[in-house]
Amino acid sequence: MKVLGIDPGTAACGYGIVYGSGGSLQAVEFGWLRTSAQERLELGLRRIHDAVAYLIAQHEPDAVALEESFVGADARTALSVGQARGAVLVACATAGVSCAEYPPASVKSAVCGYGRAEKAQVQRMVKSILGLAEVPKPHHAADALAVAICHALASPLAAAIGAGR
């Protein structure tokens, strides 16, 4: 099973691709997409859409997993993240890839065993679970890998991964 994880945002959108086989998970690719504050919003959203569409075409994931928006005190940030999520969802729908969404606490719980883990702890656990030489940076990429791990572990296909099928 191959999962593309996305940590959506308009200024920084993390991505991470995880492959599960034979009872283990490994990172295929990860990084982040950056848009400029000087760029018109619609152009930045198109860049996010096109980059996600490219990742889907290149890696052919079985699913895409997104971290749900955390609606805190800043409504402007929540709206911005929602717009980025929309661009990602349209790219997935166009490619015919199913999407799953997970709240941040569920992602942290799946990866760290604690739903209120700090970003540094998430980075260390992602490094450990995927057997990486270093913690994934920036934290947007680590968060994207974490949501991909969460989906891989929660998916009905996770039983097949565990059985080595």
Side-chain angles (χ1 to χ4, degrees), residues 104-105 107-109 111-125 143:
V107 173
K108 291 175 181 181
S109 185
V111 173
C112 300
Y114 177 60
R116 299 182 80 165
E118 298 292 327
K119 292 213 177 274
Q121 185 178 2
V122 172
Q123 285 177 303
R124 288 190 305 272
M125 288 304 297
D143 289 349

Side-chain angles (χ1 to χ4, degrees), residues 27-71:
V28 175
E29 181 179 333
F30 59 90
W32 62 310
L33 315 166
R34 201 171 174 181
T35 61
S36 169
Q38 285 73 37
E39 186 174 41
R40 291 189 345 237
L41 175 63
E42 66 272 18
L43 297 177
L45 293 173
R46 184 179 72 190
R47 185 190 316 233
I48 291 167
H49 170 276
D50 292 350
V52 171
Y54 174 80
L55 288 167
I56 291 170
Q58 195 73 11
H59 295 282
E60 299 179 340
D62 298 301
V64 175
L66 290 94
E67 189 168 85
E68 286 181 359
S69 300
F70 173 74
V71 182

Side-chain angles (χ1 to χ4, degrees), residues 3 7 10-11 16 18 29 36-37 46 64 79 85 108 114 132 137-138 148 151 157:
V3 181
D7 177 32
T10 51
V18 170
E29 181 179 333
S36 169
R46 184 179 72 190
V64 175
L79 178 61
R85 289 179 70 250
K108 291 175 181 181
Y114 177 60
L132 300 173
K137 293 180 183 172
H151 183 73
L157 291 177

